[in-house]
Amino acid sequence: MKRLPLLLTLLLVSVALPSAQTAKRKLSLDDLGQLKEVRDPQCAPDGKSVVFLVSQIDVKDDKPGSSHIWTVGLDGRDERQITFSSDSESNPRFSPDGRYLSFTSSRPGKAKGNQVWLLDRSGGEAFQLTDVKGRLQGYEWSPDSKRLALTIGDPDPDAPDTPGSGQSANDAGRGNKAPKPIVIDRYKFKQDVQGYLLSGRHTYIYLFDLESKSLDRLTEGTADESSPSWSPDGSRLAFMSDRAADPDRDPSSQLFVVDAKPGSAEKAVSPATSRGGRGKPEWSPDGKSIAFLEGDEKKYGAYGMEHLTVVPADGSAPPRRVAASEALDRGISQPRWGDDGRNIYAVVTDDMSAYGARIPVGGGSATAITDKPIVLGPRHSAGSCAVAISGDDTHYNEVYFATSAGGTLKFHQLTHQNDALFAQLQLGSVEEISARSKDGTEVHGLLTTPANYVAGTKIPLLLRIHGGPNGQDQHSFSFERQWFAANGYAVLAVNYRGSAGRGSKYSRAIFADWGHYEIDDLQAAVDQVVKMGIADPDRLGVGGWSYGGILTDYLIASDHRFKAATSGAGTAFTVAFYGTDQYIIQYDYEIGPPWDPKAWETYQKLSYPFLHADRIKTPTLFLGGEKDFNVPVQGGQQMYQALRSLGIETELVIYPNEFHGITRPSYVRDRYERYLAWYDKYILGRNPSATTTSQRE
């Protein structure tokens, strides 16, 4: 058990819930307000307890709701809430000496905005520790528990009381005073939720001393800094920074090491061309090496995988990608060193799963240490405690803890936030399906059928397409798929080419060729479910959000089998979005600027759903967020106008003040209701006003 935390990756064990004494019921939209989101588990240094966050939407006040800190013993006892502020708490962390539980919150205190708060574990109320004037983005405890490394964004000089590095798309027009003009001079100048990206504001790393309450800049650099990570002895910090002349145009984040003293000079230990990926650097136990994740070249940014890379902490040799990891040809996340310094334990994204693996830093092959299917989420370890977030097709995420038996990890459910709800529910069955695309490529997906489905019966099928495209449908609980299944539909989720989990060639197959191989793959999967005798070929529907909405537009422009479609946050006239969304690097480096004749031909090819809208016969519902900077709502507006002009049944729904992700609870519910009503009307011929959810069989 002593070595277990350093071997942490998770094997989810399904937990049998007690048999219900009453008949189980179907999933309903009311259950959205009952689901509890469990995340960010942290083991106490003594390994005896775990803290985690729990959030639940606020149906009454129609807002996403607050997150609060809970605790539970590693023996599963005393699961209880420990913070009760009217404001959310986030980022719970134990000080390494175990004295404090820290967290961030914007609760009222001596300073406005998000701050670090401390809760003395010996007793007493939480108190505000920091007085940060800018935007606090994160923090890390030093090994001796005497200091914090804070990542802070410069305050907005035009709004000194409002933390933030940019002007939110929601800020304009608030208050009685006219807002100042927004002056843009950056290559990339938009980001969803964050809003317009303005020059002259940066994010730096600061050192905060708990005893003196002093706050000092770590370095004297002028470029953004992120992801601070303390060396094991606390003498140094590693961090990521982009020192390119124009970071917007050349996002090549480098790894730096610096003495943990204010005003120190940092040393680059990776080249300027390095493309640092997600997550913070991880020091080896002896402090001699650093592992970090590196992305692909920028032209493949939309399809990139994270590569496990190791470099000497003193920069004496160039970084090298770990051969055993590269041989997997899969995305890597959450790397952690083993205590012997010879292996790194990580999560591997692979074909509808995210499993644990042991990856030797020297020679040898990577070894899976968990079974599939499994989807591993954030994890943490300390002492004899090893925990992570996980779930499966019919269980919502909870905290699980690991034990070791014969060299393998076995996991046990620790928290039970959603057990009572799921004990009531009659859920659909989920199975994996495989199909062959036109060119012989094997395509995989997940098929959900209603709980009362009788084998051999043909039922209506909904093809629901995931976004990204660099993501995957996986063995996790999907409210959407289960909701449609509860209302009598089979639901097909397909990991088309462009998706993650099948290797770089599979992901990059759609490079500058959108709407081609994806459509072949989606059609092949639908054909397969029809051949299985499950899908009724005369009752097919399709829909998706983001890239799933884009692919919906492509599909209905090339396949007339679908009786109804819902396209959310999509685009169809690609060139019209150059400079209007947040993907300028992808436009310039994957397709090319539109004034390039060759690129112009590609833009025309990629815009076929709009330029050939007259081929579309499918009644289509378009939806989007009013303030979406990711995929602006104009994409749905253009397609809606095209179909309306052509006399095709269509409707457009715009959610006020929403970004790319719809978060207002009443809008989330409204979207599900509209989806179902649209499908019922055009696939089943039902009158939506005459049928309620409670009346459905």
Side-chain angles (χ1 to χ4, degrees):
M1 291 299 294
K2 181 179 179 180
R3 297 168 69 89
L4 174 62
L6 295 172
L7 301 179
L8 179 59
T9 37
L10 293 182
L11 172 61
L12 174 66
V13 175
S14 297
V15 176
L17 298 174
S19 298
Q21 298 301 313
T22 57
K24 291 189 175 184
R25 61 175 177 80
K26 295 180 181 180
L27 187 72
S28 78
L29 290 182
D30 290 337
D31 294 320
L32 284 169
Q34 302 302 313
L35 285 173
K36 296 180 180 179
E37 190 72 32
V38 180
R39 62 185 189 277
D40 204 0
Q42 299 288 312
C43 292
D46 61 9
K48 295 181 179 179
S49 62
V50 178
V51 297
F52 54 97
L53 293 173
V54 177
S55 61
Q56 188 174 5
I57 66 171
D58 187 338
V59 176
K60 180 180 178 181
D61 290 335
D62 198 18
K63 60 183 182 180
S66 300
S67 61
H68 297 294
I69 302 173
W70 286 61
T71 186
V72 64
L74 201 61
D75 58 4
R77 299 177 180 176
D78 198 23
E79 184 173 349
R80 58 188 172 85
Q81 185 175 338
I82 59 175
T83 62
F84 298 87
S85 169
S86 58
D87 293 87
S88 288
E89 293 85 31
S90 300
N91 305 304
R93 299 290 184 268
F94 289 101
S95 59
D97 62 9
R99 178 180 178 184
Y100 296 110
L101 172 63
S102 59
F103 57 89
T104 57
S105 179
S106 297
R107 58 170 63 181
K110 62 185 179 182
K112 295 182 179 181
N114 200 34
Q115 303 291 339
V116 177
W117 292 69
L118 291 186
L119 184 63
D120 193 320
R121 298 182 69 203
S122 64
E125 296 292 331
F127 61 92
Q128 185 176 319
L129 177 66
T130 62
D131 184 7
V132 173
K133 304 303 181 185
R135 180 164 61 97
L136 178 64
Q137 298 177 343
Y139 70 100
E140 294 287 334
W141 280 98
S142 64
D144 62 6
S145 302
K146 294 181 179 180
R147 294 185 292 173
L148 298 175
L150 304 177
T151 307
I152 304 173
D154 288 339
D156 182 351
D158 296 329
D161 293 331
T162 303
S165 61
Q167 179 164 346
S168 167
N170 276 342
D171 288 343
R174 288 181 175 175
N176 296 322
K177 186 178 180 180
K180 293 184 178 181
I182 300 170
V183 181
I184 304 294
D185 63 357
R186 291 179 56 169
Y187 172 70
K188 179 182 177 180
F189 64 93
K190 300 177 83 172
Q191 187 70 32
D192 194 41
V193 181
Q194 191 174 348
Y196 292 107
L197 306 179
L198 308 182
S199 295
R201 301 175 197 173
H202 296 284
T203 299
Y204 300 122
I205 297 170
Y206 292 77
L207 295 176
F208 181 87
D209 186 272
L210 267 70
E211 182 177 357
S212 67
K213 303 296 189 294
S214 61
L215 181 68
D216 300 288
R217 271 284 310 275
L218 174 63
T219 73
E220 296 180 353
T222 58
D224 290 323
E225 301 165 345
S226 66
S227 309
S229 178
W230 293 89
S231 63
D233 63 3
S235 66
R236 294 169 292 170
L237 279 158
F239 65 92
M240 307 302 295
S241 182
D242 189 346
R243 304 298 170 90
D246 187 349
D248 287 344
R249 192 180 296 270
D250 190 16
S252 51
S253 188
Q254 288 178 266
L255 176 64
F256 290 84
V257 173
V258 63
D259 289 338
K261 300 176 182 178
S264 295
E266 64 274 25
K267 178 180 180 179
V269 296
S270 70
T273 55
S274 177
R275 290 184 55 79
R278 292 169 291 184
K280 68 184 181 70
E282 296 288 336
W283 292 79
S284 62
D286 60 8
K288 294 182 179 180
S289 299
I290 301 174
F292 66 103
L293 297 176
E294 192 173 31
D296 288 318
E297 55 185 305
K298 60 186 173 185
K299 73 176 182 178
Y300 293 123
Y303 319 103
M305 297 191 309
E306 304 282 44
H307 301 268
L308 182 60
T309 307
V310 173
V311 64
D314 61 4
S316 59
R320 64 177 178 86
R321 291 184 176 177
V322 178
S325 175
E326 290 298 286
L328 292 173
D329 189 27
R330 295 292 187 271
I332 302 296
S333 64
Q334 301 190 64
R336 303 288 187 272
W337 288 86
D339 57 357
D340 60 5
R342 294 196 297 266
N343 295 287
I344 291 175
Y345 295 83
V347 174
V348 180
T349 300
D350 179 52
D351 198 13
M352 297 177 286
S353 284
Y355 69 87
R358 181 177 64 250
I359 304 173
V361 177
S365 301
T367 303
I369 60 173
T370 62
D371 293 330
K372 292 172 58 180
I374 188 172
V375 177
L376 305 179
R379 70 192 199 278
H380 187 254
S381 62
S384 59
C385 172
V387 296
I389 298 294
S390 197
D392 60 24
D393 295 310
T394 55
H395 295 86
Y396 208 47
N397 283 345
E398 297 282 357
V399 179
Y400 287 75
F401 75 94
T403 58
S404 181
T408 60
L409 295 178
K410 185 177 182 180
F411 272 77
H412 314 269
Q413 187 174 338
L414 184 61
T415 65
H416 301 274
Q417 294 290 317
N418 293 289
D419 283 6
L421 172 62
F422 276 69
Q424 304 172 34
L425 301 178
Q426 184 183 40
L427 298 173
S429 299
V430 181
E431 63 178 299
E432 296 185 2
I433 66 108
S434 179
R436 290 282 178 183
S437 199
K438 285 183 179 179
D439 61 359
T441 298
E442 188 172 309
V443 180
H444 300 159
L446 295 169
L447 178 65
T448 303
T449 50
N452 59 355
Y453 174 70
V454 177
T457 305
K458 293 182 179 181
I459 60 176
L461 173 74
L462 300 180
L463 171 63
R464 297 295 299 178
I465 310 172
H466 73 71
N470 192 20
Q472 66 168 1
D473 282 311
Q474 56 194 12
H475 287 284
S476 296
F477 180 77
S478 168
F479 188 95
E480 178 182 284
R481 296 198 293 265
Q482 290 289 347
W483 157 247
F484 286 129
N487 284 278
Y489 290 91
V491 188
L492 177 61
V494 181
N495 288 322
Y496 50 85
R497 270 173 281 188
S499 302
R502 295 286 302 281
S504 60
K505 182 179 179 181
Y506 193 87
S507 293
R508 295 178 183 179
I510 68 171
F511 180 84
D513 191 19
W514 311 340
H516 176 193
Y517 293 118
E518 310 100 298
I519 300 306
D520 291 346
D521 297 347
L522 293 169
Q523 289 175 319
V526 171
D527 291 342
Q528 178 63 27
V529 181
V530 171
K531 290 178 183 177
M532 293 167 65
I534 297 174
D536 183 342
D538 295 323
R539 293 186 291 172
L540 302 178
V542 63
W545 195 267
S546 193
Y547 199 72
I550 293 172
L551 290 183
T552 296
D553 294 344
Y554 280 122
L555 193 55
I556 60 177
S558 54
D559 191 333
H560 294 162
R561 289 183 295 173
F562 297 93
K563 306 300 183 184
T566 65
S567 176
T571 67
F573 190 26
T574 308
V575 71
F577 285 80
Y578 185 96
T580 67
D581 61 23
Q582 62 189 38
Y583 297 105
I584 187 60
I585 289 178
Q586 186 175 6
Y587 288 119
D588 277 350
Y589 293 95
E590 181 177 344
I591 307 174
W595 46 88
D596 181 322
K598 185 176 181 180
W600 179 250
E601 292 179 6
T602 303
Y603 280 108
Q604 288 181 298
K605 180 181 69 173
L606 299 182
S607 299
Y608 79 74
F610 182 75
L611 297 179
H612 298 289
D614 55 336
R615 300 176 182 176
I616 297 174
K617 307 301 179 186
T618 304
T620 306
L621 172 67
F622 297 97
L623 311 95
E626 180 191 23
K627 297 185 180 299
D628 188 346
F629 272 9
N630 187 320
V631 185
V633 72
Q634 286 83 357
Q637 291 174 341
Q638 288 177 326
M639 285 302 296
Y640 164 77
Q641 188 63 70
L643 296 197
R644 178 58 66 192
S645 296
L646 289 164
I648 303 300
E649 288 294 322
T650 186
E651 192 171 287
L652 174 65
V653 179
I654 300 174
Y655 293 105
N657 297 313
E658 292 292 289
F659 301 112
H660 191 61
I662 306 302
T663 59
R664 191 179 186 100
S666 61
Y667 292 162
V668 172
R669 182 179 184 119
D670 179 87
R671 183 169 57 169
Y672 280 122
E673 290 174 338
R674 290 182 188 276
Y675 284 161
L676 190 62
W678 194 264
Y679 289 136
D680 280 359
K681 179 178 180 180
Y682 292 103
I683 297 175
L684 306 182
R686 288 177 175 166
N687 180 356
S689 62
T691 307
T692 65
T693 302
S694 61
Q695 294 174 322
R696 299 180 188 280
E697 295 296 323

